[in-house]
Amino acid sequence: MDTVKRAAGKSTRNTYECHPGCSVEAALSLIDGKWKGVILYLLMERQVLRFNEFQKALPDITQRVLTAQLRSLETDGLIERTVYPVVPPKVEYRLTELGASLAPVISALSAWGNEKKFLWPKGFKRDSHLQQAG
Amino acid sequence: MDTVKRAAGKSTRNTYECHPGCSVEAALSLIDGKWKGVILYLLMERQVLRFNEFQKALPDITQRVLTAQLRSLETDGLIERTVYPVVPPKVEYRLTELGASLAPVISALSAWGNEKKFLWPKGFKRDSHLQQAG
DNA sequence: CAGAATCCTACGAGATACTG
DNA sequence: CAGTATCTCGTAGGATTCTG
């Protein structure tokens, strides 16, 4: 293979003092942030995305933040980043096995979010400017 | 009834620009923060808790933060705060119907967190100084 | 007991410009 | 294309002190 993969490094998450329900906190800490849940959701739906496909799907995220979120997910071992050494650059993101194992969590979130749509905050319009690649 | 209840006010969450998976984001936005998930988890396990019971269960949370998280959850309509006009003060927190409906999400988080315990960050010791009331 | 008030810091997150 | 490099800002979260 001519691709370059980085293994998951040290987690950004540490210094936990454990308490009842800390498993909830541990799991939640991996998908917090404004975009991580959505990034995982997209990867679960579409298997593999490139950097600019994320940007198209998430028109309101900046490059810097997208990069940071992807790095964080990669560091935590939830997604895998594959760099194809071609020009122009080509980078693909996909779920790791661990990331894929979060599917029940993400789908529970999605299901709940959809079910309770009626009580979303005012500005929340359902899937307007939804951008699909292709 | 001699109790005082506050209804949910305006949500702290707004200004969403919708995108694919925004239902995930919407749901996640309600349980983000370092402690909200755990607070909900505790309420699901024990039905009703008082302020200091939260403090006992979560030895590392400060009063200020605990108050803020509870307020936020209350504002978002997930928990209900009942003040008994007695001295010394007595305040009880319990899930609203909406909050209870998050059970699948929380239990998915908990299940995942437990299942993947083996890869938790270093400092993460399972349920040491676990404090149960009673 | 259940907080309110005050102060402080780190970091998530956004805007903008530049690049191999 | 897929990022870095800076700069900036708001706010989540923490420490401490005080109170009805």
Side-chain angles (χ1 to χ4, degrees):
Chain A
M1 275 292 277
D2 278 305
T3 63
V4 176
K5 294 182 185 180
R6 280 186 294 171
K10 50 189 164 41
S11 172
T12 46
R13 312 293 163 185
N14 41 21
T15 63
Y16 281 97
E17 305 290 318
C18 220
H19 45 257
C22 62
S23 62
V24 174
E25 189 192 336
L28 205 47
S29 74
L30 298 176
I31 59 172
D32 71 357
K34 192 171 173 182
W35 303 101
K36 284 188 196 173
V38 186
I39 289 172
L40 292 172
Y41 176 86
L42 288 171
L43 282 173
M44 285 173 192
E45 280 212 320
R46 289 152 68 174
Q47 282 73 51
V48 49
L49 285 95
R50 298 179 59 176
F51 191 85
N52 70 49
E53 295 180 310
F54 280 114
Q55 292 194 89
K56 283 181 214 154
L58 308 172
D60 297 322
I61 198 172
T62 62
Q63 286 179 331
R64 184 195 177 288
V65 171
L66 177 55
T67 302
Q69 304 281 290
L70 289 170
R71 286 289 182 284
S72 178
L73 289 168
E74 186 195 359
T75 297
D76 286 333
L78 299 180
I79 68 173
E80 183 180 68
R81 179 175 177 270
T82 308
V83 180
Y84 296 86
V86 297
V87 43
K90 177 177 174 180
V91 178
E92 287 181 347
Y93 294 90
R94 69 197 74 213
L95 294 171
T96 60
E97 200 175 335
L98 179 62
S101 73
L102 268 172
V105 175
I106 301 295
S107 67
L109 280 166
S110 178
W112 190 89
N114 275 298
E115 193 187 342
K116 304 301 176 183
K117 220 161 214 171
F118 59 88
L119 49 77
W120 282 4
K122 30 267 171 139
F124 231 131
K125 26 185 187 9
R126 62 179 285 164
D127 295 292
S128 50
H129 61 284
L130 186 155
Q131 315 265 358
Q132 293 288 350
Chain B
M1 281 284 280
D2 277 308
T3 63
V4 176
K5 294 183 185 179
R6 282 185 292 172
K10 51 187 164 40
S11 173
T12 46
R13 312 295 162 182
N14 41 21
T15 62
Y16 281 98
E17 306 288 320
C18 222
H19 44 256
C22 64
S23 61
V24 174
E25 189 191 334
L28 206 46
S29 74
L30 298 176
I31 59 173
D32 71 358
K34 191 171 173 182
W35 303 101
K36 285 189 195 171
V38 185
I39 289 172
L40 292 172
Y41 175 86
L42 287 171
L43 282 172
M44 285 174 191
E45 281 211 319
R46 289 152 69 173
Q47 282 73 51
V48 49
L49 285 94
R50 298 180 58 176
F51 191 85
N52 69 47
E53 293 179 313
F54 280 114
Q55 291 193 88
K56 281 182 217 155
L58 308 171
D60 296 323
I61 197 171
T62 62
Q63 288 178 332
R64 186 194 176 287
V65 171
L66 177 56
T67 302
Q69 305 279 289
L70 290 169
R71 286 289 182 285
S72 178
L73 288 168
E74 186 194 0
T75 298
D76 287 333
L78 299 181
I79 68 174
E80 184 180 68
R81 178 175 177 270
T82 309
V83 180
Y84 295 88
V86 296
V87 43
K90 176 177 174 180
V91 178
E92 287 180 347
Y93 294 89
R94 67 197 76 211
L95 293 171
T96 61
E97 199 173 336
L98 179 62
S101 74
L102 269 173
V105 174
I106 301 295
S107 66
L109 281 166
S110 178
W112 190 90
N114 275 299
E115 192 186 343
K116 305 300 176 183
K117 220 162 216 173
F118 58 88
L119 49 76
W120 282 4
K122 29 267 169 141
F124 231 130
K125 25 185 187 8
R126 62 180 288 164
D127 295 292
S128 49
H129 60 286
L130 186 155
Q131 315 266 359
Q132 293 288 349

